[in-house]
Amino acid sequence: MKKIIVATGNEGKMDEIRQILQGEGITFASLKDENLQDVEIVEDGTTFEENAIIKARTISDLTGQMVLADDSGLEVDYLNGEPGIYSARYLGEDTSYRIKNNHIISLLEGVPDEQRTARFVCAIACAFPDGRTITVRGVIEGRIGYEEKGENGFGYDPIFYVPEFGCTTAELTPEQKNKVSHRGKALTKMYQELQKEGIV
């Protein structure tokens, strides 16, 4: 049984990863599963890719294991790409997403649909024990809605409206979301990379 550590403590992310990267003889372990949740990782990169590599490399160097890490966030064009790489820390790490979501909605008050464009970006890095690292990126385009809608998903999902589905990503079923989401697309690309490596 091959174990891949995922450098996250977010159970929502772990669920998505397990659903998409299913493989014979592979188990995915979170930082919590490995008692590594207290390891300090300084995410001082300037891009999603750099931060994903920092997370994956830190845990791989520490454990000698293969490690996956993602860095993802919301880019709102009207806000010059904010919150971007600071999405998780936006308005403070302990601030609830309900507050973050409603803050973004308030910043876009009176802004018409065509100027509410936004995207979710996800970069995933895989760090190998031999020092190699590979990265992939997935993106989903959409708009910022006018209120929170939907109970599925997490984070900014309730305000991220996808015109082609006529709903937010929090209103999609997990199966629909995994096919079209930024993380779903990035994980599919990573799956292809791991196939080339003979891992899945």
Side-chain angles (χ1 to χ4, degrees):
M1 182 71 75
K2 193 183 291 283
K3 179 169 71 178
I4 300 176
I5 298 173
V6 183
T8 186
N10 184 319
E11 278 307 310
K13 284 185 185 181
M14 287 302 297
D15 288 344
E16 289 184 3
I17 286 165
R18 289 187 178 113
Q19 285 165 14
I20 295 168
L21 285 186
Q22 295 171 18
E24 297 289 320
I26 293 181
T27 60
F28 293 98
S30 69
L31 293 180
K32 194 174 175 186
D33 296 334
E34 297 293 301
N35 289 317
L36 295 167
Q37 65 268 34
D38 296 327
V39 173
E40 191 172 337
I41 301 173
V42 181
E43 294 179 45
D44 55 3
T46 58
T47 64
F48 292 113
E49 280 79 4
E50 285 176 12
N51 282 331
I53 289 168
I54 288 167
K55 286 188 260 193
R57 196 73 269 157
T58 300
I59 300 299
S60 183
D61 290 347
L62 192 66
T63 60
Q65 302 267 352
M66 185 173 148
V67 177
L68 282 179
D70 93 317
D71 196 55
S72 49
L74 175 68
E75 295 179 341
V76 182
D77 292 323
Y78 189 80
L79 304 178
N80 299 312
E82 288 186 9
I85 61 169
Y86 303 107
S87 291
R89 294 163 275 174
Y90 190 54
L91 302 180
E93 282 195 40
D94 298 326
T95 305
S96 75
Y97 275 97
R98 176 144 285 162
I99 291 171
K100 294 178 188 185
N101 286 335
N102 284 303
H103 178 71
I104 290 172
I105 289 170
S106 71
L107 291 177
L108 269 64
E109 192 173 341
V111 176
D113 272 359
E114 62 273 13
Q115 290 178 37
R116 300 174 77 93
T117 51
R119 71 204 48 77
F120 273 130
V121 179
C122 175
I124 297 179
C126 180
F128 296 94
D130 63 8
R132 287 182 305 128
T133 311
I134 52 177
T135 61
V136 294
R137 172 181 273 232
V139 177
I140 179 173
E141 299 284 344
R143 292 200 302 259
I144 300 301
Y146 295 87
E147 61 183 329
E148 287 191 303
K149 283 187 175 179
E151 299 300 321
N152 299 332
F154 54 92
Y156 297 103
D157 282 331
I159 64 167
F160 189 79
Y161 179 82
V162 189
E164 63 190 282
F165 289 100
C167 66
T168 68
T169 44
E171 293 176 290
L172 296 172
T173 66
E175 293 74 26
Q176 286 174 316
K177 188 183 169 199
N178 286 343
K179 282 187 185 138
V180 301
S181 77
H182 55 312
R183 190 169 296 106
K185 290 174 182 175
L187 283 168
T188 299
K189 288 180 186 174
M190 181 56 75
Y191 187 83
Q192 291 162 355
E193 292 297 324
L194 296 179
Q195 275 184 317
K196 288 180 201 168
E197 297 282 338
I199 292 159
V200 294

